[in-house]
Amino acid sequence: GARGAAAGGGSSLRKVLIAVEVALALMLLTGGGLLLQTFMRLQSADLGFNPQNVLLGFVNPPRTSYDTMAKHRVFYEQVLQKAAALPGVQKAALASVLPLSGDSDTGFTIEGRPAAQTRADRPITWYRLVSSDYFDAMGMQLRRGRAFVAGEATPSAVVNETFVRKFFPGEEPIGRRIRLSEDTPWLTIIGVAADARIRGARGETLVETFIPYWQLTEPGMNVILKAQSNAGQLAAPLKQAVASLDANVPVSGIALLSDMVAGSIDQPRFFAVLSVAFAMLALALAAIGIYGVMAYVVAQRTTEIGVRMALGATPGEVFRLVLGDGLRVTGIGIAIGVVASLLMAQWLTALLFGVTPGDPRTLAFTAGLLLV
């Protein structure tokens, strides 16, 4: 009797410790599950463009040799023709700025609307100078209108859906005209492109305008090669093609667009791997801890179990007795852990994407895993 009373007090403390251990393990498992889902959803997020099998390279003719924009345009056209003729290239295009790598913004004026009183009041758009095959090479969709044709003479622009929602709600944008500055011509909107997340899956869509590079030329352009497969093999041929035009113009910044997209989610990947590793460790420690304590408790109850079996208890009844004690303690720990996990998940809100802090499926899965 004395041993039983002492064991009972110690057993209560051990059960409390087990419940706390289970609750902490559930918190880590839930956090790991949420961050893992975030990483997976960032990987599969629709960016509005297709990064697969796309090679990028940057050319910037020296101004000592190319002292006018007309010379730049001629060189870019030659580069485009050479790149499109490379074996394995499906589409070749040019762009002044690429998604995930930078932006170029400017104010603009909409024809027929009052001009902004101050510079700060002017509407802003992110603009890209592109070739006619840019949308095909990037895998971007046009929602209405059309893309540019090669050498299009009429000053034109393609805008994105966010542009239309913000500046032409309920109106037809095709045929409307905008102007970037007093020194540039009025650009007629000929198409509306689907929104693209140019700052990554987490970024909001921006107001974008696409302009033919031959109508508004700037120094330095990115060459975009859409390959049938294994775009990385086009790096050397692209360098050779540009060198054949001008050996003084290097091709820099060669990269795969898919690698750039993967690099944009390096931080979520790191957090997911780290949290899942700690969560698995916590799960293992909780399982070992529960097993150790339960084994000790069963050993302490050897006499009691012997008496129960002497009075007619079957092995199955004894098993259910011990298992029931373990499940009760674990259940209490899980209940505490669910509440703690919901509170903890609120701190992770800034890191999450595509999943809510209190995602019931994540909680149910982690609690079920821990219970098993």
Side-chain angles (χ1 to χ4, degrees):
R3 286 197 304 273
S11 177
S12 297
L13 177 59
R14 284 191 292 270
K15 289 179 179 179
V16 170
L17 293 176
I18 290 176
V20 172
E21 187 175 25
V22 169
L24 292 174
L26 182 59
M27 288 177 63
L28 281 172
L29 282 171
T30 301
L34 291 173
L35 292 174
L36 181 61
Q37 284 192 74
T38 290
F39 171 64
M40 294 174 64
R41 297 193 180 193
L42 284 172
Q43 273 192 312
S44 60
D46 182 9
L47 299 175
F49 58 90
N50 183 5
Q52 300 304 314
N53 291 318
V54 176
L55 182 77
L56 310 169
F58 183 72
V59 293
N60 190 7
R63 297 192 182 186
T64 53
S65 304
Y66 300 84
D67 52 356
T68 66
M69 289 300 102
K71 292 181 179 179
H72 278 78
R73 285 194 294 272
V74 172
F75 179 75
Y76 294 148
E77 183 62 31
Q78 292 173 338
V79 169
L80 193 58
Q81 291 175 356
K82 287 276 189 178
L86 293 175
V89 172
Q90 289 182 327
K91 292 288 182 180
L94 299 174
S96 57
V97 182
L98 295 170
L100 308 175
S101 64
D103 295 299
S104 54
D105 61 314
T106 182
F108 67 96
T109 302
I110 300 175
E111 186 180 38
R113 295 188 183 177
Q117 298 300 314
T118 65
R119 187 180 184 87
D121 293 334
R122 293 190 73 194
I124 299 295
T125 182
W126 272 254
Y127 72 94
R128 301 178 192 276
L129 310 180
V130 301
S131 62
S132 56
D133 283 335
Y134 174 79
F135 300 104
D136 288 337
M138 292 294 291
M140 296 176 63
Q141 301 294 320
L142 286 180
R143 299 304 189 199
R144 66 178 86 169
R146 63 177 179 87
F148 312 114
V149 296
E152 178 135 10
T154 304
S156 307
V158 171
V159 298
N160 69 343
E161 293 173 299
T162 297
F163 189 113
V164 174
R165 283 195 299 270
K166 187 168 184 178
F167 298 110
F168 297 109
E171 300 180 43
E172 175 54 62
I174 304 298
R176 301 295 295 272
R177 300 203 304 173
I178 61 174
R179 186 165 65 177
L180 304 187
S181 69
E182 297 293 335
D183 300 327
T184 60
W186 286 98
L187 304 172
T188 302
I189 298 175
I190 62 172
V192 177
D195 283 336
R197 296 184 179 274
I198 59 175
R199 290 183 171 175
R202 289 184 182 275
E204 296 181 357
T205 56
L206 302 174
V207 174
E208 287 194 271
T209 302
F210 304 90
I211 304 168
Y213 77 90
W214 57 88
Q215 294 181 0
L216 185 63
T217 308
E218 291 182 356
M221 292 289 280
N222 294 280
V223 183
I224 304 168
L225 300 182
K226 175 67 174 179
Q228 296 173 354
S229 62
N230 200 1
Q233 293 184 348
L234 294 173
L238 175 61
K239 290 182 178 181
Q240 294 169 1
V242 175
S244 69
L245 295 172
D246 191 334
N248 295 318
V249 181
V251 181
S252 60
I254 291 182
L256 292 172
L257 185 55
S258 56
D259 289 344
M260 293 175 60
V261 172
S264 69
I265 55 175
D266 276 345
Q267 187 184 59
R269 181 189 294 109
F270 171 76
F271 283 134
V273 171
L274 189 65
S275 61
V276 169
F278 276 116
M280 291 298 101
L281 179 61
L283 178 62
L285 290 175
I288 293 170
I290 292 172
Y291 170 79
V293 172
M294 291 305 300
Y296 177 77
V297 169
V298 171
Q300 292 294 95
R301 298 175 67 178
T302 300
T303 302
E304 174 198 338
I305 292 173
V307 171
R308 287 178 179 273
M309 296 187 72
L311 293 175
T314 64
E317 290 172 333
V318 173
F319 178 78
R320 287 192 293 272
L321 173 69
V322 175
L323 186 62
D325 287 345
L327 288 176
R328 277 193 293 273
V329 175
T330 304
I332 293 171
I334 287 176
I336 298 172
V338 167
V339 176
S341 295
L342 290 172
L343 296 175
M344 176 273 301
Q346 298 300 322
W347 301 340
L348 297 177
T349 301
L351 299 176
L352 302 181
F353 174 81
V355 59
T356 59
D359 182 48
R361 289 177 297 181
T362 301
L363 282 172
F365 176 78
T366 54
L369 178 63
L370 189 56
L371 188 63
V372 171

